[in-house]
Amino acid sequence: MATSWFSVLLLVSIVFSCFLAASAGDFYQEFDLTWGDKRAEILNGGRLLTLSLDKASGSGFRSKREYLFGRIDMQIKLVSGNSAGTVTAFYLSSEGPNHDEIDFEFLGNLSGDPYIVHTNVYSQGKGDREQQFYLWFDPTKNFHTYSIIWSPQRITFMVDNIPIRVFNNEESIGVPFPGNQPMKVYSSLWDADDWATRGGLVKTDWSKAPFKAYYRNFNAYSWNSVGTDVWRTRALDATGRRWLRWAQKYHMVYNYCADLKRFPHGRPRECRRSRFL
């Protein structure tokens, strides 16, 4: 396993060298606090951002810049303790009714239960491409890195540089893919106890409020215009595919492609083309 880890880290360092860094973690420079009054704060000279949720309101922020393809990294420490009913969202989105969107949503839990990370991809206003995973660590004890790698060929979701999901561009068979609309980076902490934990059976315990999530080390890498065509088109290597299979075999708890009751007349087209999505 040590060799595999070395290969992953080496690959990541090579990829980084082929990107042009657009930003490097100064929240004052990179983000606007968009809602929640003073529940969202930037601290430590711009190196730390916190979101807070209480019974009156949640909070959120949005990047000043837009991105069209690249890699987005954020280190997040999620809401600790009994976080049932809360959702911490970290995502890319354009605007308008026909918007594109690439989502991480972290669904709160009862103390001691694992967090679920919910992923989705929207194109032209339509989503319904959900996959969910149990995180294999406690995401409230330390910061962990959550990444979206978005190219014209595919979208890869990564947790601590381990790929958990790949959504391929299948426009050739009529599957919409987000590729024309620049998107901003968003994050929010909000109450969703009507669905977030066990389908809404477990409600938010407001006696535990305020709930807090913490952010640091934001980085955005847009594709360099010179010499990066290989990285714009490159799929996961053998090591990456092994990690993907591991995540999907041992940690996936929902896959829309396997939900036959939801699609009684046949699975979506992209589900028939690839074993791992």
Side-chain angles (χ1 to χ4, degrees):
M1 189 61 70
T3 300
S4 297
W5 273 113
F6 176 78
S7 299
V8 171
L9 294 174
L10 179 60
L11 173 61
V12 170
S13 67
I14 294 172
V15 171
F16 277 12
S17 70
C18 295
F19 286 136
L20 175 65
S23 50
D26 187 325
F27 287 105
Y28 284 119
Q29 291 184 9
E30 298 300 332
F31 290 95
D32 293 318
L33 306 180
T34 50
W35 64 285
D37 197 16
K38 296 182 180 179
R39 294 174 182 85
E41 294 184 282
I42 298 175
L43 306 168
N44 296 353
R47 296 189 299 274
L48 180 71
L49 190 152
T50 66
L51 294 182
S52 181
L53 165 69
D54 56 37
K55 199 167 185 177
S57 179
S59 50
F61 61 89
R62 177 183 63 207
S63 67
K64 299 177 187 290
R65 307 175 192 233
E66 292 183 326
Y67 304 93
L68 183 62
F69 306 125
R71 174 172 176 145
I72 305 296
D73 296 330
M74 183 76 81
Q75 290 189 344
I76 307 174
K77 184 162 66 172
L78 295 174
V79 174
S80 62
N82 182 1
S83 58
T86 71
V87 172
T88 306
F90 169 58
Y91 59 103
L92 288 165
S93 183
S94 58
E95 297 182 351
N98 296 316
H99 75 291
D100 293 343
E101 189 171 321
I102 305 169
D103 289 348
F104 274 116
E105 290 184 317
F106 304 94
L107 311 186
N109 62 357
L110 291 169
S111 299
D113 289 345
Y115 253 85
I116 288 178
V117 55
H118 174 102
T119 65
N120 204 351
V121 176
Y122 287 76
S123 183
Q124 301 173 23
K126 186 179 185 303
D128 300 329
R129 299 184 177 105
E130 305 93 341
Q131 287 187 354
Q132 295 182 343
F133 303 81
Y134 279 135
L135 291 173
W136 51 92
F137 51 84
D138 183 345
T140 73
K141 297 296 186 185
N142 296 293
F143 285 90
H144 292 268
T145 303
Y146 303 95
S147 305
I148 295 168
I149 303 177
W150 174 31
S151 79
Q153 284 70 39
R154 64 192 55 83
I155 297 163
T156 304
F157 296 80
M158 303 188 79
V159 177
D160 288 337
N161 288 317
I162 293 176
I164 62 170
R165 179 179 185 181
V166 175
F167 185 83
N168 290 308
N169 185 337
E170 299 287 5
E171 288 181 303
S172 63
I173 59 170
V175 179
F177 183 85
N180 299 312
Q181 300 184 51
M183 295 193 267
K184 291 187 175 183
V185 180
Y186 292 79
S187 190
S188 58
L189 175 57
W190 49 290
D191 175 39
D193 72 359
D194 57 332
W195 67 271
T197 306
R198 298 182 184 175
L201 295 177
V202 182
K203 301 301 183 181
T204 305
D205 181 357
W206 293 111
S207 71
K208 307 297 184 184
F211 303 99
K212 285 186 174 288
Y214 302 84
Y215 301 77
R216 71 181 188 189
N217 291 344
F218 167 74
N219 281 289
Y221 302 86
S222 57
W223 301 110
N224 195 330
S225 60
V226 178
T228 60
D229 286 346
V230 63
W231 297 108
R232 290 166 64 90
T233 59
R234 183 167 182 167
L236 294 175
D237 65 3
T239 299
R241 291 193 298 272
R242 284 195 295 271
W243 280 116
L244 181 65
R245 287 192 292 269
W246 171 82
Q248 299 203 344
K249 180 177 180 179
Y250 295 108
H251 299 283
M252 179 183 283
V253 294
Y254 179 79
N255 181 4
Y256 77 110
C257 283
D259 193 342
L260 300 182
K261 291 182 179 179
R262 184 176 173 185
F263 303 107
H265 302 296
R267 297 185 302 162
R269 295 179 187 178
E270 67 270 19
C271 298
R272 309 168 202 169
R273 290 288 294 265
S274 176
R275 183 180 174 191
F276 301 106
L277 294 166

